[in-house]
Amino acid sequence: MGIFGNVTGRWMSGAAVAAGLVSLAAGTGPAAAKTASTASAGTLVVDTSFIISTADPARDLDPTGYIVDHAIYETLLTEHGSSTKVEPDLATGYNASKNAKVFTFHLRHNAKFSDGTPVTSKDVVFSLKRVANIKAAPSYLMAGLTVSARGPYTVVIKSATSNPAVPEIVTTPALGIVNSKAVLAHGGSDASNAAKTDKAQQFLDKTSEGSGPYILTQYSTNNQITLSANPYYWGKKPKFSRVVLRDMSAPTQLLNVQRGANQIALDLSSSQAATLKNNSGVKVYTSSSPNLFFLQLTSNPKVSPVMANPDIRKAIRYGLDYNAFTKTAGTGAIQAAGLIPVQFLGGLPTRDAIKQNLAKAKALVKASGIKNPSATLAYPSDINVNGLAFATLAQLVQADLGAIGITIKVQAVPVAQFLTAYNADKYQLVQSYWGPDYADPNDYLVFVPGGSVSSRMDWPASANPSLVKLGKRAGSTSNNALRAKLFTSIQKQLNASSPYIPMLQPAEAIVGSSNLTGLKLNPSWLLSVAEVGTK
Amino acid sequence: MLPSRAFGRFIGRRLIALVILAVGIVFVTFVLTHMVPANPALANLGQNPTPAEIKNFDRVNGLDKPLPVQLGLYFVHLVQGNLGTSEVTSDPIIHDLGQTIPATAELAILSILIALVFGVGFGLLAALRRNSFTDFVLRILSLVGVSVPTFWLALIALYLLFFKLGIFPGGSRLSPSDVAPPRVTGMYTVDALLAGQLSTFWDALQHLVLPSIILAAANMGLLTRYTRSAVLEVMEQDYVRAARAKGLSRRSIVFGHVLRAALPSIVTVIGLAFANVLTGAVLVENIFSWPGIGQYGYQASVALDLPAIAGVSLFIAVVYIVINFIVDVLYGVLDPRVRVQ
């Protein structure tokens, strides 16, 4: 989903403020040993703050959209639970060329769409070409990739450059396989001009043309989405024949999950989830989220000579109280040692994270020769991530840097405006975050000099050509052990000298009725509803 | 009694003002939303949009044209009954409004009814028992209703009446186990009755009551206070004293003379009450997960979905204008002096 995914429905932040009012009280409420009141047998209820604009996988890059599309559409490969290990899905396996440029996928012969039509390579080629040519939000996933069929059950994906992340990329729900015949019949197109000619979105928002464990039976972007079991699904039948996803604010989720049965709350903050610790009717699972908060400083001295100064940058790095960040974010949050989450290949372990050193920070401020250094810290004011408000962290940063002699003025900006100014290199210092598009370190190459995120604050490739070269090598090496080493090295160099200061990975929580199993959060599609079962 | 020519002119003038106001509101909304220094493409395409994706988004949504052209096209389309297409849902705005308005209408109608019945009733009671304990309690309650923030009241009500006591269901329009009735009006209670689905009707009604009461709270307080003062004012009039002196029954004086004379003031407040319902709906719908126009408008604002913002603004403006128009006409009906003027 990248930074901010789609900002639609980010009323969560307002709701999160209000949540405090209820969360305290709710925790002291009756134990959840209440009778089932909101779900019939066979219905799983998932409450989440909807962030969804479509169920058409080729246009979907939203968290709620991913939950839905992962249930409806199969991908060539997939992951299970919270693991990032790729496993067979529509493809029983794949072969990769040594140079990681050619990937051959072997399709299973027994997969069928929800109308009983067999899934063939023709459908795969159509679906992936449609994603590429439609030029909607997920199109970048297919950048540099071409897809072709070799017989009815073999698909070949070729990459213009060596790209070992292809098996990870094809697990994303946006690359779900649709029934080409049905979608073509309803205005779909995979032609090179599909951006203008494809008209299948409305059709795919009403029905589903996938081969996954569920089919779409009701769809509303601000109310309720209902899924029913797909009778033609080739795999293990899901435990729940019906799944209802409801658009609920976090405070309401907190109450519902305690009163309901077969119920899941997806958007509770770590502190809200902590209030349920002693409630035997629900199970709380917390872990560190793959979302990563960081500070980014401009490299353009014209925008801010203070933030572009190497000593000031180091001073900020040593001046921050990282323990306060994780404490504020709640149980499960960890300090980010690098920009790649710790659970991904190449992620730096927390023990390698920088420690606050105020004396060193003050000395560096002095060494910079800048008198009374100051800057403005901009952050998106109307969203929160994993229940954590940007404003809270920004205030901590302001206090920390004030203590080492750097005056920070905080600037709260609505996210839509923030993104516009951020992309136009207007800010001196920003507090931002990155959420993984797919669970592979290649998704983080945007942070090397000249990468799309680096370019936002004027850190061009020419600033560090050797790091750019290292990035290219890491992104194209097929040996995972070597890739891990290379990405580790990149992050260490970024920590030594770059405009980025990794802050933390916040905690994420999933809360469900105590009888439920399989409550695991995936870095890409959050929850696989088909994997939720009962004891 | 047939309306006089002057009254006809009065209605004609109001209708012309209605159209001019609607056009003005569309213009102001359009200009204001386009003045926001933000790019809708970046708000909708995630972190890593390529220039081609941004260009395509702008083209599809007509954002690549100069602003005056966009405004002109908007008005042309408006005349044709086309409010544009949502940048978020990719559905026509008319379709989205058609999906969300019935949910809000169902909530608003019940809320106004509750406010009207209890607000006017409490106000009348308080006035008739002026300075009694009942009057004191009702005045305190009306003050609470007006001053307590809607979102706070909604959260507390959910906590107490749903979570603690289980008297009402939680958010949403129906229980997850229930299926929406076949769509006729989009109002679940009405559609369920039309389809003869009594259990669905009961479920929908149960879900409707609590958010309606919350939404009615402020209006109830407002109506209680206005009714009380209006009735007290009328009760001091000579003709009421005369009616008492003539020995008319209390019931006849209250309903035949006092309340009727107080109605113009109460009708003014009912106009304001509709405004309160539409603004309060944004908060109540979010907390109760009610998929109405308040929630739709808020989400459109956050996503900078310009056609949706303009569509919602236009709808709300039209509702306001129509309500004020009806209030103006009612004045004329209730008070002959207005017709003469």
Side-chain angles (χ1 to χ4, degrees):
Chain A
M1 278 143 270
I3 296 180
F4 311 116
N6 183 326
V7 296
T8 313
R10 293 292 189 173
W11 46 274
M12 281 162 65
S13 66
V17 175
L21 281 169
V22 170
S23 60
L24 199 65
T28 58
K34 298 261 168 70
T35 52
S37 63
T38 57
S40 65
T43 299
L44 174 69
V45 181
V46 182
D47 284 354
T48 182
S49 300
F50 275 15
I51 304 176
I52 182 167
S53 51
T54 180
D56 178 351
R59 298 174 195 275
D60 178 21
L61 203 66
D62 301 319
T64 311
Y66 267 21
I67 296 173
V68 172
D69 282 338
H70 179 70
I72 298 172
Y73 298 99
E74 287 184 286
T75 43
L76 286 172
L77 301 171
T78 192
E79 294 161 0
H80 293 294
S82 51
S83 165
T84 55
K85 186 185 168 200
V86 292
E87 303 206 27
D89 200 9
L90 269 180
T92 52
Y94 71 96
N95 306 110
S97 66
K98 272 191 178 175
N99 62 4
K101 284 186 174 180
V102 181
F103 297 83
T104 307
F105 296 88
H106 311 286
L107 304 186
R108 64 181 69 250
H109 292 218
N110 58 340
K112 286 180 180 172
F113 289 111
S114 51
D115 63 356
T117 314
V119 182
T120 67
S121 55
K122 194 178 155 191
D123 300 299
V124 177
V125 172
F126 172 83
S127 303
L128 301 190
K129 276 178 74 180
R130 182 167 175 262
V131 173
N133 291 332
I134 218 166
K135 292 191 173 50
S139 296
Y140 77 97
L141 291 167
M142 288 297 293
L145 303 181
T146 52
V147 57
S148 59
R150 192 188 293 161
Y153 293 104
T154 304
V155 172
V156 179
I157 294 180
K158 288 182 182 170
S159 175
T161 56
S162 297
N163 189 354
V166 167
E168 267 298 342
I169 291 172
V170 298
T171 66
T172 56
L175 301 189
I177 307 307
V178 300
N179 182 335
S180 60
K181 196 177 165 191
V183 174
L184 273 168
H186 289 87
S189 171
D190 66 341
S192 56
N193 64 347
K196 288 181 183 172
T197 57
D198 183 275
K199 307 286 179 203
Q201 182 183 346
Q202 286 188 14
F203 170 66
L204 291 169
D205 283 344
K206 288 187 180 66
T207 185
S208 53
E209 292 296 341
S211 58
Y214 286 99
I215 54 174
L216 185 69
T217 48
Q218 186 197 358
Y219 174 80
S220 162
T221 54
N222 68 343
N223 181 15
Q224 183 167 301
I225 294 169
T226 309
L227 310 172
S228 304
N230 174 7
Y232 288 100
Y233 180 53
W234 60 268
K236 188 184 164 195
K237 298 288 174 204
K239 178 77 182 174
F240 291 95
S241 59
R242 188 166 174 259
V243 177
V244 176
L245 288 106
R246 301 190 301 180
D247 185 13
M248 289 280 169
S249 62
T252 318
Q253 288 179 36
L254 183 61
L255 301 182
N256 286 347
V257 77
Q258 294 176 82
R259 281 199 70 90
N262 297 338
Q263 186 133 4
I264 295 171
L266 275 184
D267 300 306
L268 301 187
S269 66
S270 168
S271 51
Q272 283 173 318
T275 65
L276 303 173
K277 210 166 50 184
N278 299 322
N279 190 328
S280 59
V282 294
K283 276 262 179 167
V284 179
Y285 302 88
T286 50
S287 54
S288 57
S289 161
N291 293 321
L292 198 139
F293 281 85
F294 59 90
L295 291 176
Q296 186 175 358
L297 302 79
T298 183
S299 298
N300 185 344
K302 286 179 188 165
V303 176
S304 170
V306 176
M307 291 295 104
N309 182 287
D311 287 324
I312 293 289
R313 288 181 169 192
K314 275 190 187 164
I316 294 174
R317 210 177 286 278
Y318 282 107
L320 297 174
D321 183 356
Y322 300 93
N323 288 334
F325 297 154
T326 51
K327 205 173 162 188
T328 303
T331 310
I334 53 168
Q335 184 184 347
L339 287 166
I340 298 174
V342 69
Q343 55 266 59
F344 287 7
L345 181 81
L348 286 178
T350 308
R351 64 174 180 275
D352 288 356
I354 194 167
K355 302 281 184 296
Q356 186 186 32
N357 186 334
L358 288 177
K360 195 170 180 177
K362 285 178 186 169
L364 282 161
V365 172
K366 202 174 171 187
S368 73
I370 299 173
K371 284 188 178 167
N372 303 320
S374 65
T376 300
L377 168 62
Y379 66 87
S381 58
D382 51 352
I383 62 166
N384 58 23
V385 175
N386 298 116
L388 188 57
F390 284 73
T392 312
L393 291 177
Q395 284 158 11
L396 291 174
V397 170
Q398 184 184 36
D400 290 348
L401 298 190
I404 60 168
I406 302 174
T407 306
I408 294 293
K409 185 181 159 195
V410 291
Q411 184 186 4
V413 192
V415 65
Q417 292 176 43
F418 174 84
L419 287 171
T420 303
Y422 184 23
N423 278 277
D425 190 19
K426 294 271 172 72
Y427 290 134
Q428 300 177 343
L429 170 65
V430 300
Q431 186 184 290
S432 189
Y433 93 101
W434 183 266
D437 298 290
Y438 49 91
D440 189 276
N442 276 19
D443 193 36
Y444 294 79
L445 289 171
V446 290
F447 293 107
V448 299
S452 62
V453 176
S454 296
S455 303
R456 288 190 175 151
M457 294 185 77
D458 214 9
W459 200 40
S462 58
N464 192 340
S466 68
L467 192 53
V468 176
K469 206 174 159 187
L470 190 58
K472 278 187 181 156
R473 196 177 156 215
S476 58
T477 301
S478 51
N479 180 316
N480 272 345
L482 180 57
R483 280 180 86 211
K485 268 188 185 174
L486 293 173
F487 275 107
T488 301
S489 170
I490 288 171
Q491 287 177 98
K492 284 182 175 169
Q493 288 190 44
L494 286 172
N495 285 347
S497 172
S498 82
Y500 298 106
I501 300 168
M503 296 168 76
L504 76 154
Q505 289 179 235
E508 64 182 3
I510 177 168
V511 179
S513 308
S514 55
N515 63 316
L516 296 178
T517 58
L519 299 184
K520 289 182 178 169
L521 290 170
N522 183 275
S524 181
W525 49 82
L526 281 178
L527 178 69
S528 175
V529 289
E531 291 179 30
V532 177
T534 53
K535 283 177 186 167
Chain B
M1 186 180 69
L2 287 170
S4 67
R5 187 173 288 178
F7 191 55
R9 278 203 298 273
F10 159 79
I11 290 181
R13 277 201 303 274
R14 288 289 187 275
L15 280 172
I16 293 167
L18 190 151
V19 174
I20 294 171
L21 268 173
V23 170
I25 285 163
V26 171
F27 178 78
V28 170
T29 307
F30 190 91
V31 171
L32 283 179
T33 48
H34 282 78
M35 277 172 66
V36 176
N39 185 340
L42 293 174
N44 286 281
L45 289 177
Q47 165 64 10
N48 239 347
T50 62
E53 287 162 18
I54 292 173
K55 200 176 161 189
N56 187 51
F57 183 91
D58 287 347
R59 184 189 58 75
V60 167
N61 294 292
L63 300 170
D64 52 347
K65 297 183 176 68
L67 194 57
V69 177
Q70 288 184 46
L71 180 60
L73 280 174
Y74 188 80
F75 274 110
V76 169
H77 291 154
L78 198 60
V79 171
Q80 295 165 346
N82 176 5
L83 292 174
T85 302
S86 165
E87 292 160 9
V88 173
T89 64
S90 299
D91 280 324
I93 302 297
I94 291 280
H95 169 270
D96 286 353
L97 292 180
Q99 294 293 314
T100 52
I101 287 170
T104 301
E106 195 172 32
L107 194 61
I109 290 168
L110 186 60
S111 157
I112 290 284
L113 280 177
I114 292 171
L116 203 60
V117 170
F118 288 96
V120 173
F122 288 163
L124 193 61
L125 191 64
L128 295 176
R129 298 191 180 174
R130 188 181 184 184
N131 294 333
S132 68
F133 179 71
T134 309
D135 181 27
F136 176 74
V137 170
L138 289 174
R139 281 163 67 188
I140 295 286
L141 277 179
S142 67
L143 191 67
V144 169
V146 172
S147 50
V148 168
T150 304
F151 81 90
W152 185 85
L153 197 60
L155 286 170
I156 295 300
L158 258 184
Y159 176 68
L160 284 176
L161 302 175
F162 161 60
F163 179 67
K164 274 283 195 188
L165 304 173
I167 297 171
F168 290 100
S172 201
R173 294 180 77 188
L174 283 176
S175 300
S177 53
D178 222 332
V179 178
R183 188 186 164 92
V184 180
T185 63
M187 293 192 266
Y188 282 2
T189 45
V190 178
D191 289 352
L193 279 180
L194 290 175
Q197 298 174 350
L198 289 183
S199 65
T200 306
F201 166 76
W202 181 238
D203 190 32
L205 187 65
Q206 282 182 308
H207 280 81
L208 183 62
V209 170
L210 189 57
S212 298
I213 292 172
I214 302 302
L215 202 51
N219 286 331
M220 244 190 306
L222 202 64
L223 275 163
T224 303
R225 294 170 75 79
Y226 270 83
T227 306
R228 180 182 179 276
S229 63
V231 168
L232 282 177
E233 198 182 320
V234 174
M235 280 168 71
E236 299 299 320
Q237 300 291 318
D238 288 343
Y239 69 88
V240 176
R241 286 205 191 102
R244 275 200 214 116
K246 274 166 64 184
L248 288 182
S249 70
R250 186 180 167 88
R251 185 191 176 94
S252 162
I253 294 171
V254 170
F255 291 101
H257 296 274
V258 175
L259 200 55
R260 170 139 197 216
L263 270 181
S265 310
I266 297 169
V267 165
T268 311
V269 184
I270 294 171
L272 288 173
F274 266 97
N276 284 345
V277 163
L278 287 173
T279 48
V282 176
L283 295 165
V284 171
E285 286 181 3
N286 272 322
I287 291 167
F288 282 90
S289 303
W290 200 265
I293 197 162
Q295 205 176 37
Y296 179 68
Y298 180 80
Q299 290 175 356
S301 306
V302 175
L304 216 66
D305 186 351
L306 303 180
I309 295 169
V312 170
S313 306
L314 182 64
F315 170 75
I316 291 177
V318 168
V319 169
Y320 270 79
I321 294 167
V322 169
I323 296 289
N324 275 300
F325 173 72
I326 293 169
V327 167
D328 284 351
V329 173
L330 278 178
Y331 274 157
V333 172
L334 294 168
D335 189 346
R337 289 170 300 181
V338 175
R339 286 203 294 272
V340 172
Q341 282 162 15

